[in-house]
Amino acid sequence: MAENSGHRKLIVEVCNAKNLMPKDGQGTASAYAIVDFDGQRRRTKTKQKDLNPEWDEKLEFLVHDNDSMASEILEINLYNDKKTGKRNTFLGKVKIPGNSFVKTGAEALVYFPLEKRSVFSQIKGEIGLKIYYIDEDPPAAAEVKQETALPQAEQEKPLENPKAEDQNPEAAGKAEEKPKEEEAKSEETPKSPEDSKPKTEEASAPPPEVENPPIAYGSEKSKQVEKEKHVEANGGINEVELLQPLVRDRSRSAYDLVDRMPFLYVRVVKAKRGNGGATAEPVYTKLVIGTHSIKTKTQPSDKEWDQVFAFDKEGLNSTSLEVSVWAEAEEKKENEPPTKTETSLGTVSFDLQEVPKRVPPDSPLAPQWYTLESEKEAGSDVMLAVWIGTQADEAFQEAWQSDSGGLIPETRAKVYLSPKLWYLRLTVIQTQDLQLASGSEPKLKVRSPELYVKAQLGAQLFKTSRTSVGSTSSSSANPTWNEDLVFVAAEPFEPFLVLTVEDVTNSQSVGHAKLHVPSVERRSDDRAEPKSRWFNLIGDESRPYAGRIHLRVCLEGGYHVLDEAAHVTSDVRAAAKQLAKPPIGLLEVGIRGATNLLPVKTKNGVRGTTDTYVVAKYGPKWVRTRTILDRFNPRWNEQYTWDVYDPCTVLTIGVFDNGRYKRDEGGKPEKDIRIGKIRVRLSTLDANRVYKSSYSLTVLLAGGAKKMGEIEIAVRFSCSSWLNLIQAYSSPILPRMHYVRPLGPAQQDILRHTAMRIVTARLARSEPPLGQEVVQFMLDSDTHVWSMRRSKANWFRVVGCLSRAAMFARWLDGIRTWQHPPTTVLVHVLLVAVVLCPHLVFPTVFMYAFLILLLRSRYRQRAPPNMDPRISYVDAVSPDELDEELDGFPSTRPSDIIRIRYDRLRALGGRAQTLLGDVAAQGERLEALFNWRDPRATGIFVVFCLVASLVFYVVPFKAVVLVSGFYYLRHPRFHDDMPSVPVNFFRRLPSLSDQIM
């Protein structure tokens, strides 16, 4: 066991279970729970004949290794006690990964659905648990170790006669009062074969009803036996082994998806002056290689620089490296300011052909002393190390890099994390004892005041509806709202949620209250409502007490806070850590390089250039590559990984030109420029396969769509378990709270854009900042803005979806009109076969679909699809429509242009209005037929229904289908060019169009 700084205990509170499956043959069940963790086992009491048992028991487990707790599995099995039923039957199980355990104080009651042990198990219901861990001080752990020295017989004493404990409550009570340290010892003490033999013989007997008895122990042999039993109970599947492929994937080479880039590394440690040199004199080291000339920091020679320089070897135009040390001195002359003079202490040269190579995991190259060659001062040395490595070298991230401008913070590679977001639900119930201020005018005293509650969290402001207040002597003086206000809260939380009761009549504030947000109760589902509380309202100086307000407030951990467009979401996990699930795979992305990039700015006002970097986002993790300066074919060759929790998510990659590392005339950083963006949907990737592809980068500019170049990336989605991957397709996309207590579409849209603004603001405060324009472009924050181009694209998407149905209708019309007689005859034969053998219809249809899909698999797209300019209609958009799309909100264009666009929008809305009216008229005609709006038409339909019922009663159904099919497929010479009778009858039915004003 690994040594830990403190002792840790895992607490599992088995609270209750609901809607269990009756298994005792009498319509009920006597349930108990067995909890296993890290080779330890605990058991709850049996609740007799109760399908909704409540235990409320705390079970304690020792955590042997704090670091490996996240990889452990907590398993809870429910059984029906056979003493009260026919047999000891299985009621369900729950498996919870260790990475979802929270520290004490953050626990919450979570209901887990019971899982089946096999496909044929009949299981239902759920179990409510509270799981958390407690870290104790090392002295407490030492006391536990001291208690473990107790004799084995004394620790096993409560289990010598379990039947006697059931018969003797006093003995059972003494066993329950036994110190927890002795239980911990009993968990770690192995049993002898003689002691374990009676247990094997009595395996059929139910476990004794002792509260929290230790049943399994912590020896290595017993742990192995428990693991083998655990694997057998799960059909030969071991959860730890399922997680091992993920570990192996992470231990894979960190740069196997990209090319190795050779770099020349120079590590300058320190210098030593020769005899007679002043040690306090400031010196610096100068590196010269080709066109590169770099200096270290200037400092006294008795101090170390310890600086690393990395030169892109492909960009070097020289075969030698010169390292020289220079000393700075000040010369003072009379009546003149002091001047600095630099003196060379010597130079040492290196031939690049003789520089050693180093590839991790080789140990770092040890620096050595090199004697400087100098004519003026002999005996000076410099300590440095020179080697040729790659971007996988440990020193690369902190080194001065020649291709990214050196040590500029804004050009370095960084990893960012989005803040953890929660929904904060505030329920305003009512107010009491309000001290309303009197109006300044007499007429205001007669009117009943109207009140509303305003709540503010940071920049978010929401209000309740208005309610009138009667006289203070009546019960209506306590206004009631019962309204929910939902906010987006980001960790670390804003300190206070401010509530204000406003009087609309007097335009005054009645009072306010503050709620401390970090101490608000958290919940993960809707089964238990948070407790409501009364808060005092504080008025002005003349009214320190202005009444009180009744509130219910909680942080909703059962929702996933959407911070990106719903169709490109990359994370669907709930906010509460207790609801976390283990990852199903690993996503690895290699950002290799870009080619044929276009210049987006000028350098020194002479020639075009671009300084590009790449941002990749998946889930809450953002990665940013280093900026390659002044290159149109940059090569990054950086690789990153993400855990995957849902395969139906999207990876977003954007390319930008870096303008923030430079300052404008006012000293402010310039904005980064968009170059392009691509998306990769993980569900389109084959598992454990590497995709290396180049994608076109297209961006919408004021002059139209422009191709800015291509980006080359490599993607691999590694799956740890095919079973978990397939099971993900049958589970809901969003957490449970989105379905049992859904948010409205308008409210969800408001909250999503609020979350986008919070994420944008937080990332802009990082160092170096991730620009607002970058985050908004990656999150698609402008998808709600009106765009004629997007409207056309969506319209043609609908037409494309209906084209298959239209094609089938045209084919059917060709059959009906005998355009190809052999095909029509074959359809007649098929119709007869369907009527005579209806049981073959569905097998034939699904077999046909199976064969068609199997044949089409040969022609499926091998590379993951990219954003398509064709279906986006970027080439068919007019300049005015594009300018309207790129315009901000509210618009900044002149009034005449806005008037033209408004008239165009009115014309488009008129066509949509007519289409909606025609669709509504069809439904109203059908409704009018049953409401007797046209008595004659409804009377005709009534007579038809009577005759049809008699005909269908007398004539066999197969004959009706056969005759109807033959009539529909009759020869064109028997067709009539006029509309049919049913169509004429339906079109004559009245609609509500004539009643519209």
Side-chain angles (χ1 to χ4, degrees):
M1 182 175 67
E3 294 184 1
N4 300 320
S5 59
H7 186 63
R8 176 173 292 182
K9 285 186 178 181
L10 178 67
I11 309 298
V12 180
E13 293 188 24
V14 184
C15 299
N16 55 19
K18 296 182 179 180
N19 302 323
L20 296 180
M21 177 71 73
K23 290 293 184 75
D24 62 351
Q26 301 176 4
T28 183
S30 299
Y32 65 89
I34 292 181
V35 185
D36 295 280
F37 177 76
D38 195 15
Q40 308 165 60
R41 176 171 289 185
R42 300 287 185 272
R43 182 192 188 278
T44 66
K45 293 182 179 180
T46 301
K47 293 299 179 180
Q48 304 291 339
K49 298 184 179 299
D50 191 355
L51 294 179
N52 298 286
E54 295 187 3
W55 292 283
D56 292 327
E57 297 186 27
K58 286 187 179 181
L59 310 180
E60 294 187 2
F61 298 87
L62 289 177
V63 179
H64 297 97
D65 188 357
N66 298 355
D67 297 332
S68 63
M69 185 185 72
S71 61
E72 297 288 344
I73 300 293
L74 174 69
E75 182 172 352
I76 299 98
N77 290 273
L78 291 185
Y79 294 94
N80 174 57
D81 198 337
K82 78 170 189 177
K83 292 191 301 184
T84 57
K86 292 184 177 180
R87 59 188 183 278
N88 197 9
T89 51
F90 179 72
L91 295 177
K93 67 177 181 179
V94 172
K95 295 178 183 177
I96 305 170
N99 57 3
S100 64
F101 301 160
V102 298
K103 198 170 184 179
T104 178
E107 70 275 8
L109 178 61
V110 181
Y111 284 87
F112 298 90
L114 296 175
E115 302 175 359
K116 296 182 178 181
R117 184 164 54 185
S118 65
V119 179
F120 304 102
S121 300
Q122 295 182 355
I123 301 300
K124 70 174 185 178
E126 52 192 5
I127 183 171
L129 304 170
K130 287 184 179 180
I131 306 172
Y132 55 95
Y133 60 87
I134 301 175
D135 288 327
E136 298 180 348
D137 296 332
E143 294 177 4
V144 173
K145 292 182 180 179
Q146 186 177 1
E147 291 293 337
T148 57
L150 295 176
Q152 177 180 349
E154 182 180 355
Q155 295 175 34
E156 297 181 356
K157 187 176 181 180
L159 295 178
E160 290 179 356
N161 190 2
K163 294 185 179 180
E165 287 180 357
D166 289 340
Q167 298 173 1
N168 189 358
E170 295 181 1
K174 292 180 180 180
E176 293 175 355
E177 295 174 359
K178 198 166 191 63
K180 298 178 181 178
E181 291 82 358
E182 296 183 13
E183 291 184 4
K185 168 60 183 150
S186 65
E187 294 162 5
E188 297 182 355
T189 305
K191 283 193 171 183
S192 62
E194 292 78 6
D195 295 332
S196 59
K197 186 175 181 180
K199 292 285 182 180
T200 307
E201 296 175 353
E202 296 180 4
S204 60
E209 286 195 31
V210 180
E211 185 177 5
N212 306 348
I215 300 177
Y217 304 93
S219 66
E220 296 298 327
K221 185 175 181 180
S222 62
K223 285 185 180 181
Q224 183 64 27
V225 173
E226 286 296 326
K227 291 182 178 179
E228 293 177 357
K229 292 181 179 178
H230 187 66
V231 171
E232 293 177 359
N234 291 282
I237 299 175
N238 192 345
E239 291 85 353
V240 178
E241 293 179 356
L242 291 180
L243 295 176
Q244 286 179 356
L246 283 181
V247 179
R248 288 195 292 268
D249 288 340
R250 288 192 180 277
S251 62
R252 193 185 283 149
S253 176
Y255 291 89
D256 61 337
L257 297 183
V258 297
D259 298 330
R260 297 297 179 99
M261 299 179 62
F263 281 87
L264 173 66
Y265 288 91
V266 181
R267 179 172 188 151
V268 182
V269 181
K270 58 183 178 180
K272 182 171 59 175
R273 297 291 300 270
N275 297 330
T279 58
E281 194 174 66
V283 295
Y284 68 86
T285 300
K286 184 178 181 181
L287 310 178
V288 178
I289 177 171
T291 58
H292 297 285
S293 178
I294 309 300
K295 296 194 304 183
T296 64
K297 297 178 294 186
T298 301
Q299 59 186 17
S301 59
D302 56 349
K303 294 185 179 181
E304 295 184 357
W305 292 290
D306 198 14
Q307 289 184 253
V308 181
F309 300 86
F311 299 91
D312 186 5
K313 197 169 184 297
E314 295 181 356
L316 300 179
N317 53 4
S318 177
T319 59
S320 63
L321 167 69
E322 292 185 359
V323 181
S324 57
V325 179
W326 297 76
E328 290 185 353
E330 289 188 358
E331 293 184 358
K332 296 182 179 179
K333 298 181 179 180
E334 295 182 0
N335 302 325
E336 291 185 5
T339 59
K340 288 186 178 181
T341 60
E342 296 182 352
T343 305
S344 175
L345 302 183
T347 304
V348 60
S349 299
F350 296 88
D351 187 357
L352 298 187
Q353 302 295 331
E354 299 179 358
V355 173
K357 295 182 180 180
R358 174 187 177 269
V359 178
D362 294 349
S363 299
L365 193 67
Q368 300 178 8
W369 286 104
Y370 293 89
T371 302
L372 299 175
E373 298 178 0
S374 176
E375 298 179 355
K376 297 182 179 180
E377 183 175 339
S380 298
D381 299 330
V382 62
M383 177 180 283
L384 52 84
V386 183
W387 73 95
I388 293 179
T390 65
Q391 76 273 29
D393 201 293
E394 298 86 353
F396 181 73
Q397 295 299 330
E398 301 299 329
W400 179 97
Q401 299 167 4
S402 62
D403 57 354
S404 60
L407 291 172
I408 304 175
E410 289 80 7
T411 62
R412 312 289 286 185
K414 292 292 180 180
V415 176
Y416 302 86
L417 289 177
S418 297
K420 188 175 182 180
L421 302 177
W422 297 71
Y423 284 143
L424 188 146
R425 186 185 298 274
L426 172 68
T427 304
V428 181
I429 303 176
Q430 68 173 13
T431 56
Q432 288 185 358
D433 304 333
L434 292 182
Q435 309 295 323
L436 300 178
S438 59
S440 59
E441 300 181 10
K443 62 179 181 179
L444 295 178
K445 298 182 180 180
V446 181
R447 296 178 55 188
S448 298
E450 291 186 352
L451 304 179
Y452 68 89
V453 178
K454 177 178 66 177
Q456 184 172 2
L457 179 65
Q460 304 173 64
L461 181 65
F462 293 100
K463 301 178 182 179
T464 64
S465 59
R466 298 180 181 182
T467 182
S468 300
V469 182
S471 60
T472 56
S473 61
S474 62
S475 60
S476 62
N478 300 324
T480 302
W481 287 275
N482 284 321
E483 294 185 21
D484 285 349
L485 304 179
V486 182
F487 300 82
V488 178
E491 294 184 358
F493 298 116
E494 296 283 344
F496 294 104
L497 171 65
V498 181
L499 291 95
T500 308
V501 180
E502 298 282 348
D503 185 356
V504 182
T505 308
N506 295 334
S507 300
Q508 294 181 357
S509 172
V510 178
H512 69 275
K514 290 185 177 180
L515 279 69
H516 190 238
V517 177
S519 61
V520 169
E521 179 183 354
R522 307 182 185 188
R523 69 171 184 173
S524 58
D525 51 41
D526 64 331
R527 293 177 175 87
E529 286 288 340
K531 297 180 180 179
S532 59
R533 296 175 56 190
W534 288 94
F535 295 88
N536 291 336
L537 294 174
I538 302 174
D540 52 16
E541 297 179 356
S542 61
R543 295 179 299 117
Y545 174 76
R548 61 177 187 165
I549 186 170
H550 195 193
L551 304 172
R552 182 184 296 114
V553 59
C554 69
L555 287 167
E556 297 280 9
Y559 291 93
H560 168 70
V561 182
L562 293 172
D563 59 348
E564 52 195 344
H567 60 282
V568 292
T569 184
S570 60
D571 189 14
V572 292
R573 291 176 294 167
K577 187 179 179 182
Q578 295 89 337
L579 300 179
K581 296 181 180 180
I584 63 174
L586 188 71
L587 175 65
E588 298 169 273
V589 179
I591 303 173
R592 299 171 63 85
T595 56
N596 302 324
L597 295 180
L598 297 181
V600 296
K601 58 187 178 184
T602 59
K603 183 176 183 180
N604 301 325
V606 178
R607 63 180 181 88
T609 184
T610 179
D611 307 322
T612 53
Y613 68 91
V614 179
V615 175
K617 180 195 182 300
Y618 183 79
K621 180 179 175 181
W622 302 62
V623 299
R624 169 180 175 166
T625 66
R626 67 187 189 279
T627 301
I628 305 298
L629 302 180
D630 196 19
R631 292 189 187 178
F632 298 114
N633 297 284
R635 306 299 296 178
W636 294 282
N637 284 310
E638 299 182 17
Q639 186 169 333
Y640 300 93
T641 61
W642 288 267
D643 287 325
V644 178
Y645 297 88
D646 194 296
C648 301
T649 46
V650 177
L651 166 71
T652 304
I653 299 176
V655 184
F656 302 88
D657 176 81
N658 195 335
R660 291 184 172 270
Y661 77 98
K662 292 184 177 180
R663 304 283 174 171
D664 57 11
E665 297 178 356
K668 295 182 179 180
E670 300 178 0
K671 289 187 176 182
D672 296 342
I673 303 174
R674 306 173 180 179
I675 294 180
K677 177 172 58 178
I678 66 172
R679 300 192 188 101
V680 178
R681 184 169 289 273
L682 269 61
S683 58
T684 62
L685 304 177
D686 292 339
N688 304 318
R689 177 184 173 186
V690 177
Y691 293 86
K692 293 183 180 179
S693 305
S694 294
Y695 298 93
S696 176
L697 297 172
T698 305
V699 65
L700 281 176
L701 301 175
K706 190 175 183 180
K707 184 178 178 181
M708 304 297 294
E710 294 183 350
I711 183 174
E712 182 184 356
I713 64 171
V715 182
R716 176 172 55 212
F717 172 46
S718 304
C719 176
S720 59
S721 170
W722 280 98
L723 182 62
N724 293 339
L725 184 62
I726 295 174
Q727 186 180 3
Y729 280 86
S730 62
S731 60
I733 298 178
L734 295 173
R736 177 178 177 273
M737 284 290 287
H738 286 271
Y739 304 99
V740 299
R741 197 166 181 179
L743 301 171
Q747 185 182 27
Q748 184 71 70
D749 192 59
I750 294 174
L751 294 175
R752 179 169 61 249
H753 288 96
T754 302
M756 287 181 180
R757 289 193 294 268
I758 293 176
V759 172
T760 302
R762 290 290 180 90
L763 293 179
R765 290 163 51 189
S766 305
E767 188 59 39
L770 198 60
Q772 177 181 357
E773 63 280 0
V774 175
V775 179
Q776 291 179 350
F777 184 61
M778 296 290 291
L779 294 179
D780 284 335
S781 59
D782 58 346
T783 52
H784 66 290
V785 179
W786 162 257
S787 169
M788 182 68 74
R789 178 189 61 83
R790 288 199 189 101
S791 301
K792 290 180 180 179
N794 291 336
W795 168 254
F796 286 108
R797 286 170 59 197
V798 174
V799 172
C801 294
L802 298 178
S803 62
R804 298 293 182 182
M807 185 183 302
F808 177 76
R810 287 193 298 269
W811 176 82
L812 194 61
D813 185 71
I815 296 297
R816 188 178 68 90
T817 56
W818 291 70
Q819 293 180 2
H820 192 255
T823 306
T824 305
V825 174
L826 184 61
V827 171
H828 280 79
V829 176
L830 182 62
L831 177 63
V832 174
V834 168
V835 171
L836 297 181
C837 303
H839 59 281
L840 296 179
V841 174
F842 286 108
T844 304
V845 170
F846 285 108
M847 179 57 68
Y848 179 76
F850 168 75
L851 294 176
I852 292 297
L853 293 175
L854 201 61
L855 291 175
R856 288 191 174 186
S857 64
R858 300 173 55 188
Y859 307 102
R860 67 187 181 95
Q861 190 174 2
R862 299 299 177 181
N866 186 23
M867 302 172 66
D868 193 347
R870 182 183 58 83
I871 65 173
S872 302
Y873 281 84
V874 295
D875 297 329
V877 61
S878 65
D880 184 63
E881 293 174 353
L882 187 59
D883 182 73
E884 181 183 13
E885 180 178 348
L886 298 177
D887 189 14
F889 191 86
S891 177
T892 58
R893 299 298 183 262
S895 58
D896 54 345
I897 297 180
I898 295 178
R899 185 181 299 109
I900 294 174
R901 293 174 180 175
Y902 176 67
D903 292 339
R904 181 178 61 201
L905 186 60
R906 289 177 62 191
L908 182 63
R911 291 197 296 269
Q913 171 183 296
T914 304
L915 179 62
L916 292 176
D918 293 341
V919 173
Q922 310 308 317
E924 292 167 355
R925 288 192 177 104
L926 187 63
E927 186 178 357
L929 184 62
F930 291 91
N931 290 338
W932 292 82
R933 290 195 58 208
D934 188 341
R936 284 176 295 276
T938 305
I940 294 173
F941 185 67
V942 168
V943 174
F944 170 78
C945 291
L946 178 61
V947 175
S949 65
L950 297 177
V951 171
F952 282 107
Y953 178 76
V954 174
V955 182
F957 180 73
K958 292 182 179 180
V960 173
V961 175
L962 195 62
V963 171
S964 301
F966 282 169
Y967 176 78
Y968 180 78
L969 298 174
R970 66 191 184 277
H971 197 272
R973 70 176 61 181
F974 302 109
H975 286 181
D976 190 2
D977 295 336
M978 303 302 291
S980 62
V981 174
V983 173
N984 294 332
F985 180 80
F986 184 77
R987 288 178 178 175
R988 290 179 177 275
L989 294 174
S991 66
L992 299 180
S993 300
D994 54 343
Q995 300 182 19
I996 300 295
M997 298 181 62

